[in-house]
Amino acid sequence: MMQRAVLSRFKKPCLLALALMFFFLLTSLEVAGNTPVAVHDLAGLLSPEQGQALEETAQDIYERRALRLFFLTITDAKGKSSRRYASDFLEGKTEAHEDAAVFLLDMDHREINLVTQGEAIDRITDAKEEALYDLAMTPLQAKDYAGMAQSVFARIDRYFEGEIPQENYRVSEETLKKERRLRVMDLLMGGVLSLFGGGAYYGSQRKQYRFHPKTPRYALHKNTRFHFAPHDDPLLDTKTRVRHIPRPRPSASGGSRGRSTVFRSSGGRTHGGGKGRGF
Amino acid sequence: MSPHSYQCPHCGAALSYKPGTAQQRCDYCGADVPLDSIPVQEAEPPEQADLREYHCDNCGAQIVTDPTSTASQCYYCHSPVVLVDRLSGDFAPDYVLPFQIDEAKAKQLFRQWVKAKRFVEPGFVSERQLEKLTGIYLPFWRGHAAIDVHLKGQGWITKRRRSASMEHIEERIFGIERKGQMEISNLFELAYLKKDKIDPALITSIASYDSEALEEFRPAYLSGFQAERWNLDKEALQPALRQRAQDYAEAMLHDLTEGYDRVHFDERRVEGRLDRMEYVLFPAWLMTYRHQEKTYVFAMNAQTGEAFGELPMDQKKLMSWSAILGLIILLLVLIGGYFL
């Protein structure tokens, strides 16, 4: 009787401790991997093996690029648009400063959608996004969802090779104008130019204030007198030569090589040729 | 022994040379006294003069000068004095170029010279500093050289004439012989070296004097100014003068073969010697300024007004301006980067 009382007394704390241990175990598994699970197949479109392979691909990319890639499949968008669902998902899984992208296969809206973040925005331009959709369409139509995700991940991995092209820029969707922002390059260039400009001004002024020695002017002709006997130089010899002057060759190339002169017809179209030749 | 102080025949006050004229001026009664009316005092041998102690004949105070000074002023009564006995023998100048620019004009030119320089230390252009502007006669040696020239060779004159696609080239060759002498005069060298005080390059830079304005020396020209006598003797400067004469003669050789397109000499002899050397005094306005443990010297040609010297800078002001400029550039680049 007494034993039962003791047991019931410790039952609640023990269960609580076990629950806590289980919770910590679960969370620590995610922390140990240092990356959240990449594949969230809520629509159940992948086999466990396919999910595992995709997970390994994402982990490999993360280790090399510090880029978090997610593949998300859903059947219910919970009233959200695909883009909204994907961006909410990404914000839930990553920090704002992280470079990340989620590729969503939305069976609810029957839509694929790629949402990017951080450096991925600059690397995956609108054109590249379209190229990724193009890439995804063929396996998608063949219902090879794993193959589609693998191809998309591999292509994104390639987009992260090398530096971000200088000509890449951001455009605000609301204003459709180029997004104005300062880049590190602007700061560096500004710093270097300001140092150079300020330094050059300082140096030039210092130079101006220094003493620059000058050789005094000397009027050589005015101060020179000649005492020479008059001379009459005898002619010793005369030689005459005749030289043929080569004609300048007509310029074969000039600056007009490859040029086509065009004119506009009355109909407004552009044409070439039409010079004619008289005879 | 008293130094010579030229006195006004009207009031007895000390006279100073009036720049740009042949007169002396009395600063007390305003009288202008022609130089010709002032008797020149007999001078004594310089060996004795160097050892002498001088006293102002106006107030009797001792006159303290450098051993090379030949004109100064009394530190007590400010009377101009000329140490005429230091201007005798080897130290008697042959010619002097009298001051053409007076003190007021020199100050005006100095202000103009500095005006465009916004970073000059303010103390350098203060009225107090300008009081230190000193008119001084500086000693130079004037050399006259004779260069014997003998050239023998050929000269070419080429004429070209074109007709259609042909060019006719006629080349006439002449025998050339030139034998004679070039006289090169008015070669000047600074005869004064005070390394610790004035950079010789600075004095040499202002020495573009017009020798046509030289006058026969009269001590009265020195009155009211400082004057130095030579401490580099003519023998020491002869090689430099001879070399300059030789260089100038070489540069003038083409005048002897004018009209030829090309010449070649089989024999070529250009040899020079210094004919004579004269001792002349040239006028300058000098000013020194001490700033941050450094002495800055300003020098002006007192005939032409040409000025030289290193200017003391207001470093803080310059650094502020440079920093502002740097910030403006930074701002412009950032604005450009933001909008483009």
Side-chain angles (χ1 to χ4, degrees):
Chain A
M1 189 72 181
M2 195 171 169
Q3 273 182 333
R4 189 178 284 177
V6 170
L7 278 174
S8 65
R9 193 177 165 188
F10 286 103
K11 194 177 177 182
K12 261 190 176 175
C14 282
L15 281 172
L16 193 65
L18 275 170
L20 275 172
M21 279 172 68
F22 185 69
F23 174 76
F24 282 124
L25 190 68
L26 276 178
T27 52
S28 64
L29 276 175
E30 193 155 291
V31 170
N34 204 23
T35 173
V37 176
V39 181
H40 296 261
D41 183 19
L42 305 183
L45 302 174
L46 305 176
S47 68
E49 292 77 21
Q50 286 172 331
Q52 184 56 36
L54 207 51
E55 197 73 54
E56 282 166 11
T57 304
Q59 182 62 30
D60 173 53
I61 291 170
Y62 175 72
E63 281 166 9
R64 285 186 289 107
R65 311 273 191 212
L67 166 70
R68 295 196 186 287
L69 283 181
F70 298 95
F71 179 59
L72 172 64
T73 64
I74 55 169
T75 48
D76 180 11
K78 294 173 183 164
K80 297 177 184 176
S81 68
S82 294
R83 187 173 80 171
R84 175 75 189 274
Y85 194 97
S87 55
D88 285 352
F89 173 86
L90 204 57
E91 282 165 23
K93 291 289 177 188
T94 61
E95 297 294 326
H97 62 85
E98 285 181 301
D99 303 329
V102 57
F103 191 83
L104 169 70
L105 174 53
D106 181 357
M107 300 303 274
D108 189 2
H109 294 102
R110 305 215 50 92
E111 188 180 321
I112 49 175
N113 209 311
L114 179 80
V115 172
T116 56
Q117 177 182 298
E119 200 179 301
I121 299 172
D122 300 307
R123 289 187 177 272
I124 304 171
T125 58
D126 293 352
K128 284 178 177 169
E129 185 188 352
E130 289 302 324
L132 283 169
Y133 294 146
D134 292 344
L135 180 73
M137 285 316 286
T138 311
L140 181 64
Q141 280 159 2
K143 295 186 179 175
D144 178 12
Y145 306 116
M148 175 191 72
Q150 285 286 9
S151 306
V152 168
F153 277 16
R155 180 68 66 85
I156 290 173
D157 183 29
R158 228 173 67 201
Y159 289 159
F160 270 71
E161 282 170 7
E163 296 296 315
I164 301 171
Q166 273 297 304
E167 63 270 19
N168 286 9
Y169 60 93
R170 296 184 184 187
V171 171
S172 167
E173 190 183 59
E174 286 80 22
T175 57
L176 281 179
K177 281 182 183 170
K178 193 188 282 186
E179 191 182 323
R180 286 169 181 160
R181 67 189 179 120
L182 283 174
R183 295 163 192 240
V184 178
M185 187 55 81
D186 296 329
L187 287 167
L188 279 173
M189 196 181 284
V192 169
L193 286 176
S194 71
L195 275 176
F196 182 77
Y201 182 72
Y202 180 85
S204 71
Q205 289 299 316
R206 280 204 63 129
K207 198 177 168 190
Q208 271 188 30
Y209 284 61
R210 286 202 187 107
F211 162 57
H212 302 284
K214 183 187 161 189
T215 307
R217 289 183 297 276
Y218 181 72
L220 186 54
H221 284 87
K222 190 177 156 190
N223 288 306
T224 307
R225 282 186 187 170
F226 294 94
H227 302 284
F228 286 83
H231 52 264
D232 189 13
D233 300 335
L235 180 64
L236 303 178
D237 195 9
T238 303
K239 290 175 183 172
T240 307
R241 285 185 288 132
V242 179
R243 189 176 72 93
H244 175 74
I245 305 165
R247 270 193 179 190
R249 284 184 187 175
S251 174
S253 55
S256 60
R257 178 179 282 181
R259 180 179 69 191
S260 294
T261 308
V262 295
F263 62 94
R264 194 177 288 273
S265 70
S266 55
R269 288 192 185 180
T270 303
H271 300 276
K275 292 174 188 68
R277 178 174 288 182
F279 60 91
Chain B
M1 173 76 186
S2 292
H4 196 74
S5 183
Y6 295 90
Q7 288 174 338
C8 176
H10 307 290
C11 68
L15 294 169
S16 300
Y17 171 67
K18 189 179 172 187
T21 68
Q23 293 176 324
Q24 284 202 317
R25 159 153 285 195
C26 174
D27 289 331
Y28 189 75
C29 71
D32 287 337
V33 183
L35 289 174
D36 294 342
S37 65
I38 298 164
V40 179
Q41 191 174 328
E42 284 296 317
E44 290 188 28
E47 293 79 20
Q48 292 171 35
D50 284 348
L51 304 169
R52 279 237 165 78
E53 199 173 82
Y54 295 93
H55 293 274
C56 175
D57 60 0
N58 193 41
C59 70
Q62 188 183 346
I63 292 181
V64 182
T65 65
D66 283 346
T68 52
S69 292
T70 53
S72 185
Q73 66 171 16
C74 172
Y75 286 100
Y76 292 92
C77 70
H78 299 285
S79 291
V81 291
V82 180
L83 311 178
V84 285
D85 52 350
R86 286 187 176 177
L87 294 162
S88 59
D90 288 343
F91 295 102
D94 297 297
Y95 296 96
V96 60
L97 201 155
F99 270 80
Q100 306 292 309
I101 292 171
D102 62 15
E103 191 174 344
K105 179 77 177 164
K107 284 179 180 174
Q108 185 200 334
L109 289 171
F110 172 76
R111 285 196 194 96
Q112 278 177 12
W113 184 63
V114 172
K115 199 177 171 185
K117 313 265 194 304
R118 64 166 66 92
F119 299 115
V120 170
E121 181 64 28
F124 186 59
V125 286
S126 66
E127 281 302 321
R128 197 176 154 200
Q129 174 62 25
L130 278 177
E131 289 306 313
K132 293 179 184 170
L133 196 64
T134 307
I136 186 167
Y137 282 101
L138 294 164
F140 281 77
W141 288 111
R142 172 160 81 158
H144 303 275
I147 313 288
D148 294 322
V149 178
H150 185 208
L151 307 171
K152 197 172 179 183
Q154 295 88 46
W156 281 260
I157 295 175
T158 309
K159 278 187 181 169
R160 292 169 191 270
R161 187 167 50 82
R162 291 178 77 157
S163 62
S165 62
M166 307 301 277
E167 187 180 35
H168 300 263
I169 303 162
E170 185 194 71
E171 213 169 48
R172 288 185 295 155
I173 306 160
F174 294 86
I176 294 177
E177 183 159 19
R178 304 282 184 274
K179 199 171 183 180
Q181 200 175 62
M182 275 190 216
E183 259 183 50
I184 297 178
S185 51
N186 294 318
L187 299 158
F188 293 102
E189 278 289 332
L190 180 67
Y192 176 74
L193 184 67
K194 276 201 171 175
K195 269 187 180 170
D196 301 338
K197 290 192 175 176
I198 303 172
D199 179 5
L202 180 64
I203 303 300
T204 305
S205 297
I206 64 164
S208 291
Y209 292 99
D210 178 8
S211 52
E212 282 189 359
L214 284 171
E215 300 279 348
E216 274 197 33
F217 178 72
R218 282 167 159 271
Y221 281 120
L222 309 192
S223 186
F225 298 99
Q226 304 276 333
E228 295 288 334
R229 68 182 189 183
W230 61 260
N231 63 4
L232 291 172
D233 61 23
K234 61 174 98 171
E235 282 73 25
L237 296 176
Q238 269 177 3
L241 281 172
R242 204 179 297 122
Q243 185 58 51
R244 273 178 54 199
Q246 185 82 19
D247 293 345
Y248 289 151
E250 296 277 355
M252 292 298 287
L253 285 184
H254 73 273
D255 279 30
L256 295 170
T257 54
E258 217 170 9
Y260 288 103
D261 299 314
R262 181 163 65 93
V263 290
H264 171 77
F265 297 120
D266 302 314
E267 281 180 55
R268 188 177 188 280
R269 191 164 60 82
V270 183
E271 286 172 0
R273 63 184 182 280
L274 281 175
D275 255 4
R276 62 183 197 283
M277 288 180 77
E278 291 150 348
Y279 175 31
V280 299
L281 296 178
F282 282 137
W285 287 101
L286 296 182
M287 186 172 74
T288 56
Y289 179 69
R290 189 93 181 137
H291 175 62
Q292 291 179 343
E293 305 298 313
K294 188 177 173 184
T295 302
Y296 294 84
V297 183
F298 161 78
M300 182 191 288
N301 179 317
Q303 183 191 29
T304 63
E306 207 174 0
F308 289 89
E310 184 173 357
L311 291 164
M313 293 187 85
D314 186 343
Q315 286 288 342
K316 278 183 190 166
K317 193 175 174 186
L318 174 61
M319 287 180 86
S320 309
W321 276 67
S322 303
I324 288 168
L325 182 72
L327 282 173
I328 290 170
I329 293 170
L330 178 66
L331 207 65
L332 288 174
V333 173
L334 292 186
I335 289 169
Y338 183 75
F339 284 104
L340 295 178

